[in-house]
Amino acid sequence: MDKREYLFRARISDQVSRMLCASPVIKQMTPRQVATMHVFKHEVLTAFHRVYTEVPAKFADPLLDKFLKNLRAVLRDDQVPVEDDETP
C-alpha cells in the first residue's frame, strides 16, 4: 500500500468514526438504534478496506466518488443523472 492509499484510508476511517460520536441526534435514539449505527460504521469501514485491498485506488477512487455522489443525491431526493456507461 502506498502512502496516498494509506492516507485516504485514514481519512475515511476518521470521518466514519466521527459520524456517530458527539452527535446531538444520539440523545434522541434508543440504545438499539445507537448500536445499529455503530455496526453500520464498522461495516462501512470493512467494505472500504476490502475494496482498497483488492482494487488499486486509481480504479476505485473514481467509481466510489461517482457512487457516493449519486447516493447523496438519492438521500436528498435529487435527480440522479442517468449515464450510458455499463455497470459491472
Side-chain angles (χ1 to χ4, degrees):
M1 168 175 32
D2 68 13
K3 185 177 179 179
R4 180 178 175 272
E5 289 181 41
Y6 175 81
L7 292 174
F8 177 76
R9 288 186 202 177
R11 285 196 327 266
I12 293 293
S13 295
D14 183 56
Q15 289 304 310
V16 172
S17 67
R18 290 181 192 207
M19 180 173 59
L20 202 56
C21 302
S23 171
V25 173
I26 289 180
K27 292 181 176 138
Q28 302 170 22
M29 296 169 67
T30 67
R32 184 176 178 146
Q33 291 168 334
V34 172
T36 300
M37 291 302 300
H38 183 81
V39 170
F40 169 77
K41 287 183 354 178
H42 285 280
E43 289 174 348
V44 167
L45 290 174
T46 300
F48 271 101
H49 175 74
R50 188 171 39 252
V51 165
Y52 283 99
T53 298
E54 296 295 326
V55 181
K58 69 180 181 180
F59 300 129
D61 288 355
L63 294 172
L64 287 173
D65 184 55
K66 183 190 298 185
F67 171 76
L68 292 173
K69 284 180 183 173
N70 288 346
L71 180 60
R72 282 190 297 269
V74 168
L75 292 174
R76 289 190 315 252
D77 201 24
D78 294 346
Q79 288 288 358
V80 177
V82 177
E83 299 182 16
D84 293 331
D85 61 359
E86 295 181 24
T87 302

